[in-house]
């Protein structure tokens, strides 16, 4: 679908060349602003200034703050590290927990996720983009669980997506509701709890 097509949602067309460089600069500036000033502090004109691109370019390509955040989340999903494959359910899920911990404890990424999650509670487009982001990440790690089922480590019918979500859920809860550090011990506990629950059949799909 051509860029000029009115049916194209702003910020969803894959760019190349100079357009790719402009997108990278704008998304970097938007991410930095989200991390320091939150969703309500994000302003397209200021993003354009920080990215050193024309204001009209930003408004024409992304249209709204929500459109810019949606594209930022798309880019973050695309840039996320691929899953680790160790051949062991415990080690695979521990690798996942460690990746989530590193992301959420990062001085830029942690505040950025807090801002986006907060914005998603009141903005439908941001919520949709956030859901897509997590769908991509869960799908990336789900094969770890599928392979564990095939090896006989987990009961038949175990829902891979639910197991992967169970790994990251305690870490997000810790980030959003406490001031406790997101340390290695927290990641290890999250992975171990998900493994134990999965082995006990807690994530087996019900008919």
């Amino acid at each position: 679908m051509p860029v000029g097509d009115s049916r194209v949602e702003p910020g969803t067309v894959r760019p190349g060349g100079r357009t790719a460089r402009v997108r990278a600069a704008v998304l970097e500036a938007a991410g930095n602003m989200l991390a320091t000033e939150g969703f309500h502090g994000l302003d397209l004109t200021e993003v354009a200034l920080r990215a050193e691109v024309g204001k009209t370019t930003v408004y024409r390509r992304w249209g709204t703050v929500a459109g810019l955040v949606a594209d930022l989340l798309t880019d973050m999903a695309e840039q996320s590290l691929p899953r680790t494959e160790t051949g062991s359910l415990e080690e695979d899920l521990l690798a996942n927990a460690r990746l989530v911990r590193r992301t959420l404890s990062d001085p830029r990424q942690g505040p950025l996720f807090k801002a986006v999650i907060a914005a998603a509670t009141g903005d439908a487009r941001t919520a949709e983009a956030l859901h897509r982001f997590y769908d991509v990440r869960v799908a990336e790690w789900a094969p770890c669980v599928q392979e564990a089922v095939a090896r006989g480590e987990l009961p038949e019918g175990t829902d891979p997506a639910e197991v992967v979500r169970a790994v990251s859920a305690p870490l997000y809860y810790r980030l959003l509701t406490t001031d406790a550090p997101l340390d290695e011990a927290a990641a290890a506990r999250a992975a171990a709890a998900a493994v134990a629950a999965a082995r006990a059949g807690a994530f087996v799909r019900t008919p």
Side-chain angles (χ1 to χ4, degrees), residues 77-89 91-100 102 136-148 151 160 164:
E78 292 170 350
Q79 299 302 322
S80 293
L81 294 175
R83 69 185 176 95
T84 300
E85 299 181 63
T86 68
S88 162
L89 178 66
E91 292 301 318
D92 286 350
L93 295 188
L94 178 58
N96 177 255
R98 285 171 170 164
L99 176 60
V100 173
R102 285 198 305 271
V136 169
R137 297 310 301 149
V138 168
E140 172 70 22
W141 285 84
C144 295
V145 181
Q146 294 166 344
E147 292 160 9
R151 292 192 300 264
V164 175

PDB file of all heavy atoms in Angstrom, residues 77-89 91-100 102 136-148 151 160 164:
ATOM      1  N   ALA A  77       9.689  -3.824  19.596  1.00  0.00           N
ATOM      2  CA  ALA A  77       9.443  -5.262  19.408  1.00  0.00           C
ATOM      3  C   ALA A  77      10.379  -5.833  18.360  1.00  0.00           C
ATOM      4  O   ALA A  77      10.932  -6.931  18.523  1.00  0.00           O
ATOM      5  CB  ALA A  77       7.984  -5.488  19.004  1.00  0.00           C
ATOM      6  N   GLU A  78      10.593  -5.076  17.283  1.00  0.00           N
ATOM      7  CA  GLU A  78      11.466  -5.543  16.211  1.00  0.00           C
ATOM      8  C   GLU A  78      12.919  -5.627  16.665  1.00  0.00           C
ATOM      9  O   GLU A  78      13.677  -6.484  16.195  1.00  0.00           O
ATOM     10  CB  GLU A  78      11.356  -4.608  15.009  1.00  0.00           C
ATOM     11  CG  GLU A  78       9.996  -4.646  14.312  1.00  0.00           C
ATOM     12  CD  GLU A  78       9.837  -3.539  13.292  1.00  0.00           C
ATOM     13  OE1 GLU A  78      10.706  -2.627  13.249  1.00  0.00           O
ATOM     14  OE2 GLU A  78       8.855  -3.579  12.534  1.00  0.00           O
ATOM     15  N   GLN A  79      13.325  -4.729  17.564  1.00  0.00           N
ATOM     16  CA  GLN A  79      14.721  -4.666  17.993  1.00  0.00           C
ATOM     17  C   GLN A  79      15.017  -5.561  19.197  1.00  0.00           C
ATOM     18  O   GLN A  79      16.179  -5.707  19.577  1.00  0.00           O
ATOM     19  CB  GLN A  79      15.081  -3.218  18.359  1.00  0.00           C
ATOM     20  CG  GLN A  79      14.939  -2.223  17.221  1.00  0.00           C
ATOM     21  CD  GLN A  79      15.788  -2.574  16.013  1.00  0.00           C
ATOM     22  OE1 GLN A  79      16.906  -3.046  16.150  1.00  0.00           O
ATOM     23  NE2 GLN A  79      15.247  -2.353  14.826  1.00  0.00           N
ATOM     24  N   SER A  80      13.998  -6.155  19.812  1.00  0.00           N
ATOM     25  CA  SER A  80      14.216  -6.980  20.996  1.00  0.00           C
ATOM     26  C   SER A  80      15.089  -8.183  20.665  1.00  0.00           C
ATOM     27  O   SER A  80      15.045  -8.723  19.553  1.00  0.00           O
ATOM     28  CB  SER A  80      12.876  -7.464  21.566  1.00  0.00           C
ATOM     29  OG  SER A  80      12.131  -6.400  22.075  1.00  0.00           O
ATOM     30  N   LEU A  81      15.868  -8.604  21.641  1.00  0.00           N
ATOM     31  CA  LEU A  81      16.761  -9.738  21.438  1.00  0.00           C
ATOM     32  C   LEU A  81      15.966 -11.017  21.212  1.00  0.00           C
ATOM     33  O   LEU A  81      14.910 -11.220  21.809  1.00  0.00           O
ATOM     34  CB  LEU A  81      17.664  -9.916  22.661  1.00  0.00           C
ATOM     35  CG  LEU A  81      18.672  -8.798  22.918  1.00  0.00           C
ATOM     36  CD1 LEU A  81      19.396  -9.056  24.230  1.00  0.00           C
ATOM     37  CD2 LEU A  81      19.657  -8.695  21.769  1.00  0.00           C
ATOM     38  N   PRO A  82      16.465 -11.917  20.348  1.00  0.00           N
ATOM     39  CA  PRO A  82      15.771 -13.185  20.131  1.00  0.00           C
ATOM     40  C   PRO A  82      15.857 -14.072  21.366  1.00  0.00           C
ATOM     41  O   PRO A  82      16.694 -13.866  22.240  1.00  0.00           O
ATOM     42  CB  PRO A  82      16.539 -13.801  18.956  1.00  0.00           C
ATOM     43  CG  PRO A  82      17.909 -13.201  19.041  1.00  0.00           C
ATOM     44  CD  PRO A  82      17.690 -11.801  19.551  1.00  0.00           C
ATOM     45  N   ARG A  83      14.993 -15.055  21.430  1.00  0.00           N
ATOM     46  CA  ARG A  83      14.963 -15.938  22.587  1.00  0.00           C
ATOM     47  C   ARG A  83      16.225 -16.789  22.673  1.00  0.00           C
ATOM     48  O   ARG A  83      16.891 -17.056  21.674  1.00  0.00           O
ATOM     49  CB  ARG A  83      13.733 -16.843  22.537  1.00  0.00           C
ATOM     50  CG  ARG A  83      13.753 -17.899  21.444  1.00  0.00           C
ATOM     51  CD  ARG A  83      12.430 -18.642  21.410  1.00  0.00           C
ATOM     52  NE  ARG A  83      12.371 -19.592  20.308  1.00  0.00           N
ATOM     53  CZ  ARG A  83      12.667 -20.877  20.435  1.00  0.00           C
ATOM     54  NH1 ARG A  83      13.046 -21.370  21.593  1.00  0.00           N
ATOM     55  NH2 ARG A  83      12.570 -21.680  19.391  1.00  0.00           N
ATOM     56  N   THR A  84      16.514 -17.208  23.890  1.00  0.00           N
ATOM     57  CA  THR A  84      17.627 -18.104  24.155  1.00  0.00           C
ATOM     58  C   THR A  84      17.133 -19.541  24.073  1.00  0.00           C
ATOM     59  O   THR A  84      16.041 -19.861  24.534  1.00  0.00           O
ATOM     60  CB  THR A  84      18.202 -17.842  25.553  1.00  0.00           C
ATOM     61  OG1 THR A  84      18.658 -16.487  25.598  1.00  0.00           O
ATOM     62  CG2 THR A  84      19.344 -18.781  25.876  1.00  0.00           C
ATOM     63  N   GLU A  85      17.936 -20.415  23.470  1.00  0.00           N
ATOM     64  CA  GLU A  85      17.589 -21.825  23.372  1.00  0.00           C
ATOM     65  C   GLU A  85      18.676 -22.647  24.066  1.00  0.00           C
ATOM     66  O   GLU A  85      19.792 -22.730  23.588  1.00  0.00           O
ATOM     67  CB  GLU A  85      17.455 -22.256  21.916  1.00  0.00           C
ATOM     68  CG  GLU A  85      16.362 -21.515  21.150  1.00  0.00           C
ATOM     69  CD  GLU A  85      16.244 -21.973  19.711  1.00  0.00           C
ATOM     70  OE1 GLU A  85      15.919 -23.150  19.476  1.00  0.00           O
ATOM     71  OE2 GLU A  85      16.499 -21.153  18.824  1.00  0.00           O
ATOM     72  N   THR A  86      18.328 -23.243  25.205  1.00  0.00           N
ATOM     73  CA  THR A  86      19.317 -24.026  25.963  1.00  0.00           C
ATOM     74  C   THR A  86      18.990 -25.514  25.976  1.00  0.00           C
ATOM     75  O   THR A  86      19.826 -26.317  26.361  1.00  0.00           O
ATOM     76  CB  THR A  86      19.375 -23.539  27.422  1.00  0.00           C
ATOM     77  OG1 THR A  86      18.136 -23.871  28.078  1.00  0.00           O
ATOM     78  CG2 THR A  86      19.588 -22.035  27.498  1.00  0.00           C
ATOM     79  N   GLY A  87      17.756 -25.866  25.576  1.00  0.00           N
ATOM     80  CA  GLY A  87      17.342 -27.261  25.664  1.00  0.00           C
ATOM     81  C   GLY A  87      16.804 -27.636  27.023  1.00  0.00           C
ATOM     82  O   GLY A  87      16.466 -28.792  27.275  1.00  0.00           O
ATOM     83  N   SER A  88      16.697 -26.667  27.924  1.00  0.00           N
ATOM     84  CA  SER A  88      16.176 -26.895  29.273  1.00  0.00           C
ATOM     85  C   SER A  88      15.119 -25.846  29.561  1.00  0.00           C
ATOM     86  O   SER A  88      15.357 -24.648  29.382  1.00  0.00           O
ATOM     87  CB  SER A  88      17.304 -26.788  30.302  1.00  0.00           C
ATOM     88  OG  SER A  88      16.798 -26.594  31.608  1.00  0.00           O
ATOM     89  N   LEU A  89      13.954 -26.286  30.022  1.00  0.00           N
ATOM     90  CA  LEU A  89      12.892 -25.332  30.323  1.00  0.00           C
ATOM     91  C   LEU A  89      13.330 -24.339  31.387  1.00  0.00           C
ATOM     92  O   LEU A  89      13.109 -23.129  31.256  1.00  0.00           O
ATOM     93  CB  LEU A  89      11.632 -26.076  30.799  1.00  0.00           C
ATOM     94  CG  LEU A  89      10.456 -25.177  31.195  1.00  0.00           C
ATOM     95  CD1 LEU A  89       9.912 -24.433  29.988  1.00  0.00           C
ATOM     96  CD2 LEU A  89       9.357 -26.012  31.860  1.00  0.00           C
ATOM     97  N   GLU A  91      16.324 -23.280  32.214  1.00  0.00           N
ATOM     98  CA  GLU A  91      17.316 -22.319  31.727  1.00  0.00           C
ATOM     99  C   GLU A  91      16.713 -21.363  30.705  1.00  0.00           C
ATOM    100  O   GLU A  91      17.059 -20.178  30.670  1.00  0.00           O
ATOM    101  CB  GLU A  91      18.511 -23.062  31.137  1.00  0.00           C
ATOM    102  CG  GLU A  91      19.334 -23.815  32.165  1.00  0.00           C
ATOM    103  CD  GLU A  91      19.887 -22.897  33.242  1.00  0.00           C
ATOM    104  OE1 GLU A  91      20.354 -21.788  32.896  1.00  0.00           O
ATOM    105  OE2 GLU A  91      19.852 -23.283  34.422  1.00  0.00           O
ATOM    106  N   ASP A  92      15.823 -21.875  29.867  1.00  0.00           N
ATOM    107  CA  ASP A  92      15.179 -21.002  28.879  1.00  0.00           C
ATOM    108  C   ASP A  92      14.358 -19.911  29.567  1.00  0.00           C
ATOM    109  O   ASP A  92      14.445 -18.730  29.218  1.00  0.00           O
ATOM    110  CB  ASP A  92      14.268 -21.813  27.955  1.00  0.00           C
ATOM    111  CG  ASP A  92      15.039 -22.646  26.939  1.00  0.00           C
ATOM    112  OD1 ASP A  92      16.260 -22.459  26.824  1.00  0.00           O
ATOM    113  OD2 ASP A  92      14.408 -23.484  26.278  1.00  0.00           O
ATOM    114  N   LEU A  93      13.544 -20.312  30.534  1.00  0.00           N
ATOM    115  CA  LEU A  93      12.692 -19.321  31.209  1.00  0.00           C
ATOM    116  C   LEU A  93      13.502 -18.397  32.111  1.00  0.00           C
ATOM    117  O   LEU A  93      13.144 -17.235  32.294  1.00  0.00           O
ATOM    118  CB  LEU A  93      11.591 -20.024  31.999  1.00  0.00           C
ATOM    119  CG  LEU A  93      10.570 -20.793  31.159  1.00  0.00           C
ATOM    120  CD1 LEU A  93       9.418 -21.287  32.024  1.00  0.00           C
ATOM    121  CD2 LEU A  93      10.033 -19.958  30.000  1.00  0.00           C
ATOM    122  N   LEU A  94      14.604 -18.901  32.650  1.00  0.00           N
ATOM    123  CA  LEU A  94      15.482 -18.023  33.425  1.00  0.00           C
ATOM    124  C   LEU A  94      16.109 -16.976  32.514  1.00  0.00           C
ATOM    125  O   LEU A  94      16.238 -15.800  32.890  1.00  0.00           O
ATOM    126  CB  LEU A  94      16.573 -18.838  34.125  1.00  0.00           C
ATOM    127  CG  LEU A  94      17.588 -18.034  34.943  1.00  0.00           C
ATOM    128  CD1 LEU A  94      16.889 -17.201  36.026  1.00  0.00           C
ATOM    129  CD2 LEU A  94      18.623 -18.975  35.573  1.00  0.00           C
ATOM    130  N   ALA A  95      16.482 -17.385  31.305  1.00  0.00           N
ATOM    131  CA  ALA A  95      17.026 -16.419  30.336  1.00  0.00           C
ATOM    132  C   ALA A  95      15.984 -15.363  30.004  1.00  0.00           C
ATOM    133  O   ALA A  95      16.295 -14.170  29.881  1.00  0.00           O
ATOM    134  CB  ALA A  95      17.482 -17.141  29.077  1.00  0.00           C
ATOM    135  N   ASN A  96      14.730 -15.778  29.862  1.00  0.00           N
ATOM    136  CA  ASN A  96      13.662 -14.830  29.600  1.00  0.00           C
ATOM    137  C   ASN A  96      13.492 -13.856  30.761  1.00  0.00           C
ATOM    138  O   ASN A  96      13.373 -12.642  30.572  1.00  0.00           O
ATOM    139  CB  ASN A  96      12.351 -15.579  29.337  1.00  0.00           C
ATOM    140  CG  ASN A  96      11.180 -14.645  29.133  1.00  0.00           C
ATOM    141  OD1 ASN A  96      10.353 -14.491  30.015  1.00  0.00           O
ATOM    142  ND2 ASN A  96      11.104 -14.028  27.970  1.00  0.00           N
ATOM    143  N   ALA A  97      13.491 -14.393  31.986  1.00  0.00           N
ATOM    144  CA  ALA A  97      13.338 -13.545  33.171  1.00  0.00           C
ATOM    145  C   ALA A  97      14.489 -12.547  33.282  1.00  0.00           C
ATOM    146  O   ALA A  97      14.284 -11.383  33.634  1.00  0.00           O
ATOM    147  CB  ALA A  97      13.267 -14.409  34.428  1.00  0.00           C
ATOM    148  N   ARG A  98      15.683 -12.995  32.968  1.00  0.00           N
ATOM    149  CA  ARG A  98      16.844 -12.095  33.038  1.00  0.00           C
ATOM    150  C   ARG A  98      16.748 -10.994  31.997  1.00  0.00           C
ATOM    151  O   ARG A  98      17.126  -9.844  32.262  1.00  0.00           O
ATOM    152  CB  ARG A  98      18.130 -12.902  32.852  1.00  0.00           C
ATOM    153  CG  ARG A  98      18.522 -13.720  34.079  1.00  0.00           C
ATOM    154  CD  ARG A  98      19.662 -14.666  33.781  1.00  0.00           C
ATOM    155  NE  ARG A  98      20.192 -15.270  35.001  1.00  0.00           N
ATOM    156  CZ  ARG A  98      20.972 -16.342  35.025  1.00  0.00           C
ATOM    157  NH1 ARG A  98      21.306 -16.942  33.876  1.00  0.00           N
ATOM    158  NH2 ARG A  98      21.422 -16.812  36.168  1.00  0.00           N
ATOM    159  N   LEU A  99      16.258 -11.323  30.819  1.00  0.00           N
ATOM    160  CA  LEU A  99      16.090 -10.313  29.771  1.00  0.00           C
ATOM    161  C   LEU A  99      15.062  -9.273  30.194  1.00  0.00           C
ATOM    162  O   LEU A  99      15.285  -8.062  30.047  1.00  0.00           O
ATOM    163  CB  LEU A  99      15.662 -10.982  28.465  1.00  0.00           C
ATOM    164  CG  LEU A  99      15.350 -10.043  27.294  1.00  0.00           C
ATOM    165  CD1 LEU A  99      16.562  -9.191  26.936  1.00  0.00           C
ATOM    166  CD2 LEU A  99      14.876 -10.845  26.084  1.00  0.00           C
ATOM    167  N   VAL A 100      13.937  -9.733  30.744  1.00  0.00           N
ATOM    168  CA  VAL A 100      12.910  -8.802  31.222  1.00  0.00           C
ATOM    169  C   VAL A 100      13.475  -7.932  32.341  1.00  0.00           C
ATOM    170  O   VAL A 100      13.260  -6.709  32.375  1.00  0.00           O
ATOM    171  CB  VAL A 100      11.666  -9.572  31.701  1.00  0.00           C
ATOM    172  CG1 VAL A 100      10.665  -8.615  32.358  1.00  0.00           C
ATOM    173  CG2 VAL A 100      11.004 -10.312  30.549  1.00  0.00           C
ATOM    174  N   ARG A 102      16.605  -7.079  32.938  1.00  0.00           N
ATOM    175  CA  ARG A 102      17.559  -6.092  32.413  1.00  0.00           C
ATOM    176  C   ARG A 102      16.830  -4.936  31.745  1.00  0.00           C
ATOM    177  O   ARG A 102      17.224  -3.777  31.886  1.00  0.00           O
ATOM    178  CB  ARG A 102      18.513  -6.759  31.410  1.00  0.00           C
ATOM    179  CG  ARG A 102      19.572  -7.626  32.027  1.00  0.00           C
ATOM    180  CD  ARG A 102      20.716  -7.880  31.056  1.00  0.00           C
ATOM    181  NE  ARG A 102      20.260  -8.441  29.787  1.00  0.00           N
ATOM    182  CZ  ARG A 102      20.120  -9.740  29.547  1.00  0.00           C
ATOM    183  NH1 ARG A 102      20.362 -10.617  30.507  1.00  0.00           N
ATOM    184  NH2 ARG A 102      19.734 -10.173  28.363  1.00  0.00           N
ATOM    185  N   VAL A 136       4.087  -9.963  20.313  1.00  0.00           N
ATOM    186  CA  VAL A 136       5.307 -10.314  19.581  1.00  0.00           C
ATOM    187  C   VAL A 136       6.322 -10.964  20.505  1.00  0.00           C
ATOM    188  O   VAL A 136       6.931 -11.992  20.178  1.00  0.00           O
ATOM    189  CB  VAL A 136       5.912  -9.052  18.913  1.00  0.00           C
ATOM    190  CG1 VAL A 136       7.312  -9.343  18.373  1.00  0.00           C
ATOM    191  CG2 VAL A 136       5.014  -8.559  17.795  1.00  0.00           C
ATOM    192  N   ARG A 137       6.512 -10.384  21.686  1.00  0.00           N
ATOM    193  CA  ARG A 137       7.521 -10.924  22.602  1.00  0.00           C
ATOM    194  C   ARG A 137       7.119 -12.293  23.155  1.00  0.00           C
ATOM    195  O   ARG A 137       7.954 -13.193  23.297  1.00  0.00           O
ATOM    196  CB  ARG A 137       7.760  -9.950  23.763  1.00  0.00           C
ATOM    197  CG  ARG A 137       8.309  -8.611  23.336  1.00  0.00           C
ATOM    198  CD  ARG A 137       9.524  -8.754  22.411  1.00  0.00           C
ATOM    199  NE  ARG A 137      10.597  -9.483  23.048  1.00  0.00           N
ATOM    200  CZ  ARG A 137      11.479 -10.250  22.382  1.00  0.00           C
ATOM    201  NH1 ARG A 137      11.386 -10.410  21.075  1.00  0.00           N
ATOM    202  NH2 ARG A 137      12.438 -10.863  23.039  1.00  0.00           N
ATOM    203  N   VAL A 138       5.846 -12.458  23.460  1.00  0.00           N
ATOM    204  CA  VAL A 138       5.383 -13.758  23.956  1.00  0.00           C
ATOM    205  C   VAL A 138       5.533 -14.817  22.869  1.00  0.00           C
ATOM    206  O   VAL A 138       5.989 -15.942  23.131  1.00  0.00           O
ATOM    207  CB  VAL A 138       3.917 -13.668  24.438  1.00  0.00           C
ATOM    208  CG1 VAL A 138       3.340 -15.061  24.685  1.00  0.00           C
ATOM    209  CG2 VAL A 138       3.838 -12.835  25.715  1.00  0.00           C
ATOM    210  N   ALA A 139       5.176 -14.469  21.634  1.00  0.00           N
ATOM    211  CA  ALA A 139       5.300 -15.423  20.529  1.00  0.00           C
ATOM    212  C   ALA A 139       6.756 -15.811  20.296  1.00  0.00           C
ATOM    213  O   ALA A 139       7.036 -16.955  19.899  1.00  0.00           O
ATOM    214  CB  ALA A 139       4.701 -14.823  19.258  1.00  0.00           C
ATOM    215  N   GLU A 140       7.673 -14.892  20.540  1.00  0.00           N
ATOM    216  CA  GLU A 140       9.098 -15.188  20.371  1.00  0.00           C
ATOM    217  C   GLU A 140       9.558 -16.265  21.350  1.00  0.00           C
ATOM    218  O   GLU A 140      10.373 -17.136  21.002  1.00  0.00           O
ATOM    219  CB  GLU A 140       9.908 -13.907  20.569  1.00  0.00           C
ATOM    220  CG  GLU A 140      11.425 -14.092  20.606  1.00  0.00           C
ATOM    221  CD  GLU A 140      12.026 -14.466  19.263  1.00  0.00           C
ATOM    222  OE1 GLU A 140      11.388 -14.195  18.226  1.00  0.00           O
ATOM    223  OE2 GLU A 140      13.128 -15.034  19.266  1.00  0.00           O
ATOM    224  N   TRP A 141       9.042 -16.243  22.576  1.00  0.00           N
ATOM    225  CA  TRP A 141       9.501 -17.160  23.622  1.00  0.00           C
ATOM    226  C   TRP A 141       8.624 -18.390  23.790  1.00  0.00           C
ATOM    227  O   TRP A 141       9.029 -19.359  24.451  1.00  0.00           O
ATOM    228  CB  TRP A 141       9.624 -16.411  24.946  1.00  0.00           C
ATOM    229  CG  TRP A 141      10.827 -15.524  24.972  1.00  0.00           C
ATOM    230  CD1 TRP A 141      10.921 -14.256  24.476  1.00  0.00           C
ATOM    231  CD2 TRP A 141      12.126 -15.847  25.479  1.00  0.00           C
ATOM    232  NE1 TRP A 141      12.189 -13.765  24.646  1.00  0.00           N
ATOM    233  CE2 TRP A 141      12.954 -14.721  25.262  1.00  0.00           C
ATOM    234  CE3 TRP A 141      12.662 -16.972  26.109  1.00  0.00           C
ATOM    235  CZ2 TRP A 141      14.291 -14.686  25.641  1.00  0.00           C
ATOM    236  CZ3 TRP A 141      14.002 -16.947  26.488  1.00  0.00           C
ATOM    237  CH2 TRP A 141      14.802 -15.816  26.259  1.00  0.00           C
ATOM    238  N   ALA A 142       7.435 -18.395  23.208  1.00  0.00           N
ATOM    239  CA  ALA A 142       6.528 -19.534  23.371  1.00  0.00           C
ATOM    240  C   ALA A 142       7.123 -20.868  22.932  1.00  0.00           C
ATOM    241  O   ALA A 142       6.842 -21.904  23.553  1.00  0.00           O
ATOM    242  CB  ALA A 142       5.221 -19.259  22.618  1.00  0.00           C
ATOM    243  N   PRO A 143       7.962 -20.916  21.877  1.00  0.00           N
ATOM    244  CA  PRO A 143       8.529 -22.203  21.474  1.00  0.00           C
ATOM    245  C   PRO A 143       9.332 -22.897  22.578  1.00  0.00           C
ATOM    246  O   PRO A 143       9.438 -24.136  22.565  1.00  0.00           O
ATOM    247  CB  PRO A 143       9.430 -21.839  20.285  1.00  0.00           C
ATOM    248  CG  PRO A 143       8.764 -20.642  19.687  1.00  0.00           C
ATOM    249  CD  PRO A 143       8.262 -19.866  20.874  1.00  0.00           C
ATOM    250  N   CYS A 144       9.898 -22.136  23.528  1.00  0.00           N
ATOM    251  CA  CYS A 144      10.604 -22.766  24.646  1.00  0.00           C
ATOM    252  C   CYS A 144       9.672 -23.716  25.401  1.00  0.00           C
ATOM    253  O   CYS A 144      10.071 -24.818  25.804  1.00  0.00           O
ATOM    254  CB  CYS A 144      11.121 -21.703  25.620  1.00  0.00           C
ATOM    255  SG  CYS A 144      12.376 -20.599  24.968  1.00  0.00           S
ATOM    256  N   VAL A 145       8.437 -23.275  25.576  1.00  0.00           N
ATOM    257  CA  VAL A 145       7.456 -24.075  26.301  1.00  0.00           C
ATOM    258  C   VAL A 145       6.950 -25.212  25.424  1.00  0.00           C
ATOM    259  O   VAL A 145       6.781 -26.352  25.889  1.00  0.00           O
ATOM    260  CB  VAL A 145       6.291 -23.198  26.778  1.00  0.00           C
ATOM    261  CG1 VAL A 145       5.275 -24.016  27.563  1.00  0.00           C
ATOM    262  CG2 VAL A 145       6.803 -22.035  27.626  1.00  0.00           C
ATOM    263  N   GLN A 146       6.712 -24.925  24.164  1.00  0.00           N
ATOM    264  CA  GLN A 146       6.257 -25.964  23.242  1.00  0.00           C
ATOM    265  C   GLN A 146       7.259 -27.117  23.179  1.00  0.00           C
ATOM    266  O   GLN A 146       6.881 -28.299  23.172  1.00  0.00           O
ATOM    267  CB  GLN A 146       6.046 -25.360  21.849  1.00  0.00           C
ATOM    268  CG  GLN A 146       4.920 -24.344  21.798  1.00  0.00           C
ATOM    269  CD  GLN A 146       4.931 -23.513  20.523  1.00  0.00           C
ATOM    270  OE1 GLN A 146       5.928 -23.479  19.803  1.00  0.00           O
ATOM    271  NE2 GLN A 146       3.829 -22.840  20.256  1.00  0.00           N
ATOM    272  N   GLU A 147       8.542 -26.767  23.142  1.00  0.00           N
ATOM    273  CA  GLU A 147       9.578 -27.794  23.097  1.00  0.00           C
ATOM    274  C   GLU A 147       9.646 -28.580  24.398  1.00  0.00           C
ATOM    275  O   GLU A 147       9.898 -29.793  24.394  1.00  0.00           O
ATOM    276  CB  GLU A 147      10.929 -27.140  22.786  1.00  0.00           C
ATOM    277  CG  GLU A 147      11.006 -26.582  21.365  1.00  0.00           C
ATOM    278  CD  GLU A 147      12.090 -25.531  21.188  1.00  0.00           C
ATOM    279  OE1 GLU A 147      12.908 -25.344  22.122  1.00  0.00           O
ATOM    280  OE2 GLU A 147      12.111 -24.896  20.116  1.00  0.00           O
ATOM    281  N   ALA A 148       9.387 -27.915  25.522  1.00  0.00           N
ATOM    282  CA  ALA A 148       9.377 -28.607  26.814  1.00  0.00           C
ATOM    283  C   ALA A 148       8.226 -29.608  26.874  1.00  0.00           C
ATOM    284  O   ALA A 148       8.363 -30.705  27.422  1.00  0.00           O
ATOM    285  CB  ALA A 148       9.269 -27.599  27.953  1.00  0.00           C
ATOM    286  N   ARG A 151       9.224 -32.599  24.894  1.00  0.00           N
ATOM    287  CA  ARG A 151      10.216 -33.418  25.606  1.00  0.00           C
ATOM    288  C   ARG A 151       9.607 -34.156  26.792  1.00  0.00           C
ATOM    289  O   ARG A 151      10.294 -34.941  27.449  1.00  0.00           O
ATOM    290  CB  ARG A 151      11.373 -32.538  26.113  1.00  0.00           C
ATOM    291  CG  ARG A 151      12.246 -31.949  25.021  1.00  0.00           C
ATOM    292  CD  ARG A 151      13.521 -31.348  25.614  1.00  0.00           C
ATOM    293  NE  ARG A 151      13.259 -30.280  26.556  1.00  0.00           N
ATOM    294  CZ  ARG A 151      13.260 -28.991  26.259  1.00  0.00           C
ATOM    295  NH1 ARG A 151      13.483 -28.595  25.004  1.00  0.00           N
ATOM    296  NH2 ARG A 151      13.012 -28.076  27.194  1.00  0.00           N
ATOM    297  N   PRO A 160       1.531 -22.254  26.110  1.00  0.00           N
ATOM    298  CA  PRO A 160       2.858 -21.620  26.114  1.00  0.00           C
ATOM    299  C   PRO A 160       2.820 -20.137  26.452  1.00  0.00           C
ATOM    300  O   PRO A 160       3.671 -19.641  27.195  1.00  0.00           O
ATOM    301  CB  PRO A 160       3.375 -21.855  24.686  1.00  0.00           C
ATOM    302  CG  PRO A 160       2.603 -23.036  24.197  1.00  0.00           C
ATOM    303  CD  PRO A 160       1.251 -22.913  24.827  1.00  0.00           C
ATOM    304  N   VAL A 164       4.851 -18.078  29.547  1.00  0.00           N
ATOM    305  CA  VAL A 164       5.777 -16.966  29.304  1.00  0.00           C
ATOM    306  C   VAL A 164       5.312 -15.718  30.053  1.00  0.00           C
ATOM    307  O   VAL A 164       6.125 -15.005  30.658  1.00  0.00           O
ATOM    308  CB  VAL A 164       5.898 -16.690  27.790  1.00  0.00           C
ATOM    309  CG1 VAL A 164       6.753 -15.450  27.543  1.00  0.00           C
ATOM    310  CG2 VAL A 164       6.501 -17.891  27.076  1.00  0.00           C
TER     311      VAL A 164
END
